[in-house]
Amino acid sequence: MTPRKRAATSRLGAICTAISRLPRGTGTLIFLMIWEVLARISASSFVIAAPSQILDYSLTHAGLLWRAFITTLWAAARGFFWGNLAGILLALVATLLPRSERLVSTLALLVFCLPLVATGPILRVLFGPGDGPQVTLAALAVYYTTFLPVLVGLRAAPQGWFDLIRSYGRGRLIILRDVRLPAALPYAVAGFQIAAPAAFLGAMVGEFTGAERGLGVLTVRALRALDLPATWSIALLAAGVSICTFSAVGALGRRLDLAPPEVLLAAPVGNPSSRWTGAAQAFLALTVTLSVWHVAMQAYDLPRFFAKRPWDVWRFLTSDPAARAQLFAALSETLSLALPGYLAGLALGAALAMLLTLMPRLSATAIPFAIALRSIPIIASAPLIVWALGRGATGTITVVAVMIFFPTLVACRQGLARTPRAVLDIFAVYASSPIRRLFGAQLPAMLPAFFASARMAIPAAILAVTTAEWLATGRGIGALMATVASTSDYNMLWSAIALIGFAAVMSHALVSMLERWVLSRTNPEQLAR
Amino acid sequence: MTSGVQQDITLQGVTKSFGAPGRQIEAVAPTDLVLQGGSMTALVGPSGCGKSTLLRLISGLEVPTRGQIRIGTETPDQLRRRAGLAVAFQDAALLPWRTVTGNVALGRSLAHRPRDRAAVAELIRLVGLSGFERHRPAELSGGMRQRAAIARALAGLPELLLLDEPFGAVDELTRDRLNTELPPLWEARGATAVLVTHSVTEAVRLSDRIIVLTPRPARVAADIAVTLARTRTAEVLASDAFRAICAQVSQALRLHQASEGIPAQ
Ligand SMILES: Nc1ncnc2c1ncn2[C@@H]1O[C@H](COP(=O)(O)OP(=O)(O)O)[C@@H](O)[C@H]1O
Ligand SMILES: [Mg+2]
């Protein structure tokens, strides 16, 4: 560090300590005052609600907010339970039947990528009134982020532990009980931690589609009426719940005295042994997806008018050129916004993570903040971001980037922290500059985490872009799905879902390929198994 | 199960190769051996020569590519399936979420033995980990972890004990003490033991017989009987006979060390 930089950092530190020395609450007070002034200045642009307005709204509507909150929380809690149960069971199946892993992972990803905009209305038709859709969407929002870490945890055990159990002549059941399950526990807690805010978000989206009560209902009303104080109050409430549940699960994990998991996200699946097995697996996944889709609808005898079979989608797409053109135009518009946002979110997250290793003092304050922001539900932040930045490309791209930025930052930080101590010591012995250490030792250690978040960011980007289009900009495939859902154009809706699912799986495969290509050069040990 | 019936270990034409056909690595060359039941045999050889592989073959964790192994009339798999053997692994393989006590107790429960707190505590004391009962493996040094692994292997009262460089990370002083205190634990029960070690003195001190192995693929280079009194008292260790055997083993090792890289045919 140059003397000037050091002086700057120490000045920053001095300001921090000065603020922390002020009487309790003074900092918050100053923050609120700045906020209030900003809101008053920008009142004409309808973006920021002032704290006083938010307080006023919350107090006058306390009863309403409370009842809505309890309704949503109850649906979210049940969705949390079922979703996590499903995630754990899927991970167990993929572990105990290793041959099924690829198929299970692909199907799990596919279902997770189904856009909430479209699944919401369909579930509403399926369930009718009541909170079935809310619970289902909450479950759908969480199972994947539990499935992945639990799968890693169940498999992450070193060979020696299995040898130990086997040397006593014990089999898979004991290995599961004494090795795999305890090893997976911290991974499961990490998954639950992400799942808790996600379940709340899922329940709120479920309420968008014709529920009678809940925070989601209030959100829709507030957005329609451009009621700024109400929108902000709900957003703050949702954010508060998310942060509280996130921290509560984290505290539970610490109480259980669990070692934090080594890798948060899934290690990549190894290369298929030949080109043919890869193609065969892709074909198998496609066949199974289409059969499950078809058979499930037949088995439950769902009405053909709204539950479209794969064949209906195919016929629709091949027979109606006008609709096809409309669909593809919407999809390409959406992708042209999702891709820059995706790349920007990843790049900024990784860049800030690296920057923070160069300034450890800053990271002590920045990281908890980032973790808290990560759990603010997208449906609360998306409309506000779009209102602030406009309905053009910038707003949507920012929503996507923000959605991806925080998880990437946190994951990359964890990756950087995994740099082996001994390697860092070598750089320290030669008194290398922090930059040199970063690129020589820490960056390679970060890459697996970076690629893992790049894979996880694909469903996140789809969720973000479709939500922004649906709630705020009114363009692209998100808005198209919302429109055709309300006009009961189910051919178009199912076609849109199928296309999005296809695009998601293809992007995932592309990122995985890139990941294997890079990691086989930088971190071959990650691909060993 | 300390039946007292001491089963010989018989290896007949045992070989082991790893890897895909065409690019195979031969770890163990054709080997015929009979290890007497109730005795302690030491395997010494340069690192990477196939000692661990040989031990894993005897434990049934690895299946020979050719040839067969019998312990008495049983296959290693049969012995393993009735929890008749225990392995102290080279890398300890302790479960990180269990305490020292928990790990040692696991050795009992996996071997279908009833719970016995006193026995577990006594073993922990014997390997010199008193005071660390409630510590997790991450809080122990490498040597302490290996000692916990030995205690776990002994906890199941095995008929066949397989020790893979059990004292590799243990300091000299502790090692000396363990070399005196541990052998009576399995000798008293008449258990058969196979020890892999790097240390020539340790091999001579603990075993009845020393098999010197060639560099990979492992084959028997020298088979040296340790003709010393069973109880290796300080006088025995200071004797000329002891030193002579050490010299004999070292020489056998050196002789074959020199042939590394030259096909050992
Ligand atoms: N599972 C395995 N797959 C491939 N090669 C192995 C495997 N286990 C051991 N080897 C090879 O066999 C040889 C002997 O290994 P090992 O028995 O561990 O040696 P030692 O214990 O004598 O140091 C080594 O060259 C090692 O690379
Ligand atoms: Mg070895």
Side-chain angles (χ1 to χ4, degrees):
Chain A
M1 241 192 249
T2 62
R4 188 186 301 171
K5 256 205 229 144
R6 194 169 291 156
T9 3
S10 69
R11 211 173 305 144
L12 196 71
I15 294 172
C16 290
T17 36
I19 290 174
S20 68
R21 289 235 181 87
L22 289 173
R24 240 160 203 276
T26 317
T28 323
L29 209 62
I30 294 173
F31 175 72
L32 286 175
M33 272 158 57
I34 296 174
W35 181 357
E36 181 83 31
V37 170
L38 275 180
R40 299 280 169 190
I41 294 173
S42 68
S44 56
S45 64
F46 282 108
V47 176
I48 308 178
S52 58
Q53 294 171 308
I54 295 171
L55 193 68
D56 179 50
Y57 179 87
S58 308
L59 289 181
T60 47
H61 298 82
L64 179 70
L65 282 175
W66 175 250
R67 281 193 302 280
F69 166 70
I70 291 296
T71 309
T72 309
L73 190 66
W74 175 228
R78 281 177 295 156
F80 180 82
F81 173 79
W82 292 114
N84 283 316
L85 189 66
I88 292 171
L89 289 180
L90 280 177
L92 279 174
V93 169
T95 311
L96 296 180
L97 306 171
R99 277 164 179 279
S100 74
E101 187 198 322
R102 224 167 230 276
L103 188 60
V104 172
S105 304
T106 311
L107 291 183
L109 170 76
L110 193 67
V111 174
F112 190 63
C113 287
L114 298 182
L116 295 176
V117 199
T119 39
I122 289 175
L123 288 171
R124 179 57 67 193
V125 177
L126 265 183
F127 280 93
D131 62 2
Q134 289 90 302
V135 176
T136 312
L137 281 187
L140 283 177
V142 305
Y143 79 96
Y144 193 67
T145 46
T146 300
F147 164 72
L148 277 189
V150 170
L151 182 61
V152 176
L154 286 172
R155 295 187 317 175
Q159 187 59 38
W161 299 353
F162 300 137
D163 283 346
L164 168 73
I165 308 289
R166 290 208 304 133
S167 74
Y168 288 96
R170 297 302 196 93
R172 293 147 75 100
L173 220 58
I174 301 293
I175 288 184
L176 188 66
R177 188 194 72 189
D178 278 326
V179 176
R180 292 196 194 272
L181 286 179
L185 188 60
Y187 291 82
V189 171
F192 296 160
Q193 205 175 4
I194 300 173
F200 201 77
L201 166 69
M204 276 178 80
V205 174
E207 291 164 352
F208 280 23
T209 56
E212 294 95 41
R213 272 184 297 277
L215 279 185
V217 179
L218 293 189
T219 312
V220 176
R221 270 191 225 149
L223 288 177
R224 291 236 175 89
L226 279 180
D227 185 344
L228 216 48
T231 310
W232 273 82
S233 303
I234 298 165
L236 282 183
L237 187 58
V241 173
S242 298
I243 293 169
C244 288
T245 48
F246 183 88
S247 328
V249 178
L252 182 77
R254 280 191 298 279
R255 173 63 71 81
L256 290 174
D257 191 19
L258 300 171
E262 294 263 295
V263 262
L264 249 187
L265 300 152
V269 182
N271 265 324
S273 41
S274 80
R275 190 180 308 170
W276 293 115
T277 55
Q281 274 161 340
F283 181 72
L284 180 71
L286 184 68
T287 319
V288 171
T289 310
L290 296 180
S291 329
V292 168
W293 177 357
H294 182 80
V295 170
M297 288 185 168
Q298 294 295 64
Y300 288 98
D301 205 17
L302 301 181
R304 260 211 126 79
F305 124 80
F306 109 90
K308 298 293 175 190
R309 277 56 165 177
W311 175 238
D312 299 326
V313 168
W314 177 255
R315 216 166 26 202
F316 174 72
L317 283 179
T318 48
S319 68
D320 190 342
R324 192 172 60 215
Q326 190 192 2
L327 188 58
F328 279 98
L331 183 66
S332 63
E333 178 177 7
T334 300
L335 290 182
S336 72
L337 298 178
L339 188 65
Y342 173 81
L343 295 178
L346 283 180
L348 289 175
L352 185 62
M354 295 197 291
L355 194 68
L356 287 180
T357 58
L358 299 180
M359 299 177 201
R361 223 189 294 183
L362 189 61
S363 73
T365 40
I367 285 301
F369 191 62
I371 288 181
L373 282 180
R374 167 169 96 165
S375 55
I376 295 181
I378 170 96
I379 47 170
S381 54
L384 293 174
I385 293 177
V386 173
W387 284 349
L389 296 176
R391 282 161 196 266
T394 330
T396 313
I397 292 176
T398 309
V399 171
V400 177
V402 166
M403 179 81 176
I404 291 168
F405 170 77
F406 291 113
T408 306
L409 170 63
V410 174
C412 286
R413 284 279 304 167
Q414 278 166 349
L416 287 167
R418 266 161 54 80
T419 314
R421 188 74 246 165
V423 175
L424 290 181
D425 285 346
I426 292 175
F427 280 78
V429 165
Y430 290 105
S432 311
S433 71
I435 302 265
R436 180 102 185 251
R437 189 185 61 207
L438 177 64
F439 285 98
Q442 294 171 306
L443 189 60
M446 189 190 84
L447 283 177
F450 173 77
F451 278 108
S453 31
R455 274 182 289 127
M456 276 304 290
I458 292 169
I462 291 176
L463 173 68
V465 76
T466 51
T467 309
E469 288 173 340
W470 164 36
L471 292 181
T473 68
R475 318 175 51 155
I477 204 158
L480 178 69
M481 285 188 290
T483 316
V484 297
S486 61
T487 59
S488 304
D489 184 354
Y490 289 112
N491 269 323
M492 187 66 119
L493 187 61
W494 282 98
S495 304
I497 295 177
L499 275 189
I500 290 182
F502 183 72
V505 171
M506 288 327 261
S507 330
H508 196 271
L510 198 69
V511 173
S512 304
M513 248 165 64
L514 186 67
E515 173 180 30
R516 279 198 294 270
W517 188 80
V518 172
L519 292 191
S520 66
R521 277 152 190 80
T522 58
N523 305 57
E525 81 285 350
Q526 293 280 329
L527 300 172
R529 26 201 271 118
Chain B
M1 264 168 239
T2 44
S3 51
V5 185
Q6 296 164 354
Q7 313 281 16
D8 290 354
I9 304 172
T10 326
L11 286 81
Q12 278 177 356
V14 170
T15 68
K16 180 70 189 175
S17 309
F18 291 107
R23 293 216 330 235
Q24 285 193 326
I25 296 176
E26 195 180 21
V28 177
T31 306
D32 294 289
L33 269 178
V34 179
L35 308 181
Q36 207 200 327
S39 73
M40 160 74 104
T41 309
L43 303 176
V44 296
S47 63
C49 78
K51 305 181 294 292
S52 296
T53 305
L54 203 52
L55 212 64
R56 290 171 64 84
L57 287 169
I58 297 175
S59 72
L61 286 174
E62 216 75 73
V63 183
T65 309
R66 243 172 266 111
Q68 64 168 9
I69 303 177
R70 288 285 178 277
I71 294 126
T73 55
E74 287 177 304
T75 62
D77 241 22
Q78 286 165 333
L79 182 66
R80 184 167 68 86
R81 294 201 180 282
R82 64 178 179 81
L85 61 83
V87 188
F89 291 95
Q90 192 171 352
D91 60 357
L94 299 177
L95 300 181
W97 51 85
R98 284 176 176 257
T99 61
V100 169
T101 303
N103 269 293
V104 176
L106 184 68
R108 273 190 82 83
S109 74
L110 285 178
H112 307 279
R113 308 269 172 194
R115 260 168 223 260
D116 186 344
R117 278 161 186 263
V120 169
E122 171 64 9
L123 272 172
I124 293 176
R125 191 191 63 75
L126 272 170
V127 296
L129 288 176
S130 305
F132 292 91
E133 287 88 350
R134 311 190 55 153
H135 287 234
R136 301 267 176 94
E139 301 158 336
L140 305 179
S141 72
M144 291 161 100
R145 275 179 232 163
Q146 282 191 323
R147 284 184 270 151
I150 295 169
R152 178 179 61 195
L154 292 171
L157 307 178
E159 295 161 47
L160 173 58
L161 181 64
L162 303 170
L163 303 160
D164 195 350
E165 300 186 28
F167 306 120
V170 178
D171 65 281
E172 270 311 314
L173 280 175
T174 315
R175 189 174 185 144
D176 196 54
R177 197 173 62 70
L178 292 177
N179 280 344
T180 325
E181 291 184 2
L182 291 187
L185 290 181
W186 59 84
E187 280 165 8
R189 295 192 2 265
T192 311
V194 183
L195 165 79
V196 169
T197 176
H198 263 103
S199 154
V200 172
T201 5
E202 184 171 270
V204 180
R205 179 167 173 183
L206 292 181
S207 61
D208 307 304
R209 179 184 178 190
I210 296 168
I211 315 268
V212 179
L213 297 171
T214 60
R216 192 175 62 81
R219 61 177 72 234
V220 179
D223 186 345
I224 299 163
V226 182
T227 49
L228 297 170
R230 195 68 177 85
T231 345
R232 309 281 151 82
T233 55
E235 292 87 79
V236 175
L237 299 183
S239 66
D240 287 340
F242 182 85
R243 247 172 283 138
I245 298 174
C246 286
Q248 202 183 344
V249 175
S250 301
Q251 202 200 345
L253 266 174
R254 253 198 310 278
L255 202 67
H256 291 278
Q257 199 73 296
S259 68
E260 191 168 25
I262 300 166
Q265 287 296 327

